[in-house]
Amino acid sequence: MRAKRYCKRISISVEYACSVKEKRWVEFKGEVDSTSIPVEWICWLNGQRKVAPSPEEMAMLEARRQRVKENVALLKKEEEERKAREGSSRKITTMGKGDGPDLKSFIQQLPVASEGDKSGEASEATSNKQKEKEVADQAKHEPESAEPTGSGASFRPGTWQPPS
């Protein structure tokens, strides 16, 4: 905060019904680093605060931020210690790029195709095509209405247009 100077200028315009404009800005000393501006000053610069933050307020908020940082560091340390304790008693497996998911156990959970089906995938694809044809046929036979109709399998997002 010592490396910056916060400024404001009030201009009164008699031409436009005595309007008062206030311009706020920050002047950097040395290298310009806008990320170093505290949130309270950013709020004041943007007009979200009417009064600039006081030095006492800034000191109190800085102390609070420091306590939060210390608490975060303490929580991270406790989490690492807990993981280290659990890690010794529990085996953790990780998958690298070369490892893939266990597909055999997944495939065993899938329902088996009935005897009449020659191929589960082929029958599924043809049944989907049949459903699409049925929906299209229904749409041709039904009169055009002002209200959208249908739900479930016949619903197709973006297809209904209001009558013109």
Side-chain angles (χ1 to χ4, degrees), residues 34-163:
S34 60
T35 61
S36 66
I37 301 174
V39 174
E40 295 76 26
W41 281 106
I42 291 173
C43 291
W44 179 78
L45 288 167
N46 291 329
Q48 295 168 336
R49 281 179 73 129
K50 290 185 179 187
V51 180
S54 67
E56 295 83 21
E57 179 185 4
M58 293 303 296
M60 182 182 70
L61 291 169
E62 187 58 37
R64 181 174 183 269
R65 285 186 184 105
Q66 188 61 36
R67 285 193 311 270
V68 168
K69 284 180 184 178
E70 290 169 359
N71 287 341
V72 167
L74 180 66
L75 288 172
K76 282 184 180 179
K77 183 180 176 185
E78 289 175 358
E79 181 71 15
E80 288 174 3
E81 289 173 357
R82 184 186 62 81
K83 284 184 179 180
R85 283 193 309 267
E86 287 180 359
S88 61
S89 64
R90 192 172 124 196
K91 182 183 175 188
I92 299 174
T93 58
T94 59
M95 288 186 356
K97 280 192 169 184
D99 298 337
D102 182 19
L103 294 178
K104 289 182 182 177
S105 62
F106 177 73
I107 292 172
Q108 290 173 352
Q109 296 173 5
L110 294 175
V112 179
S114 64
E115 293 177 14
D117 292 341
K118 294 180 182 176
S119 169
E121 294 176 2
S123 66
E124 197 174 308
T126 55
S127 66
N128 286 341
K129 287 181 183 178
Q130 288 174 349
K131 286 180 185 177
E132 289 176 4
K133 280 185 180 181
E134 290 172 7
V135 170
D137 290 340
Q138 283 179 347
K140 288 179 186 176
H141 295 296
E142 292 177 5
E144 200 173 301
S145 70
E147 294 296 319
T149 58
S151 62
S154 65
F155 176 73
R156 293 178 160 266
T159 57
W160 181 80
Q161 294 292 323

